[in-house]
Amino acid sequence: MTTKSIPLTDELHAYLVGHGSPPDEIIRDLAEETRAVLPDQATMQVAPEQAAFLTFLTRLMGARKAVEVGTFTGLSALAIARGLADGGRLTCFDISEEYTGIARRYWARAEVDDRIELRIGPAGDTLRELPHKRYLDFAFIDADKTGYPIYWAELVPRMRPGGVIAVDNVLRGGRVIAPQDEGDRAIAAFNDEVLADVRVDAVMLPIADGLTLARVR
């Protein structure tokens, strides 16, 4: 037994991924195309075990109304959409037609494109177009790190009681304890903001680059 999460070697990480629900051909192809076409940006894609977790979590919650901020080539959106309950809808916010063009092809191939609405534009602006009521079941934030407080401020008041916000990259490769750049400093400050927010109960998990789950009261 151990009192903290154990470090993952490459071999242990492969074992972990191999003993969860395996990615299907569509997910594998999407990941491979992203690495081939966008090698310098491919690390923006969620890890395979994180994609499986997003599907598991949304399915476990019975989520019907979901939002994603930061879509990239669409793996996380695909994972969330697959977990939605019957009649569920996911609204995605991104600024790139190029990246989301890849996403659209794979959503169609996975037959979840009818569950996803993509809105292109700065999310700080487009999020404000959402209804001003507490109706969202699930939200996923994985966009520009300096924008996290803005997205948080727009989403928390729109989450139903018991709704969950998942926030990616909250460990920044471990640099949150000694920030080295603007993104690191932004996430460190954001993590403190979440901790102090009395509207939520939050837990930070060591999945991939760190994932915060916040349940809205």
Side-chain angles (χ1 to χ4, degrees), residues 147-170:
Y148 275 24
I150 298 171
Y151 312 144
W152 181 263
E154 293 297 331
L155 286 169
V156 172
R158 291 175 166 88
M159 305 300 299
R160 66 162 172 82
V164 172
I165 302 177
V167 187
D168 200 16
N169 303 119
V170 294

Side-chain angles (χ1 to χ4, degrees), residues 170 176 185-198 204 212:
V170 294
V176 284
R185 290 187 290 273
I187 290 299
F190 172 76
N191 290 341
D192 290 341
E193 178 183 342
V194 173
L195 181 65
D197 196 327
V198 298
M204 189 180 290
T212 287

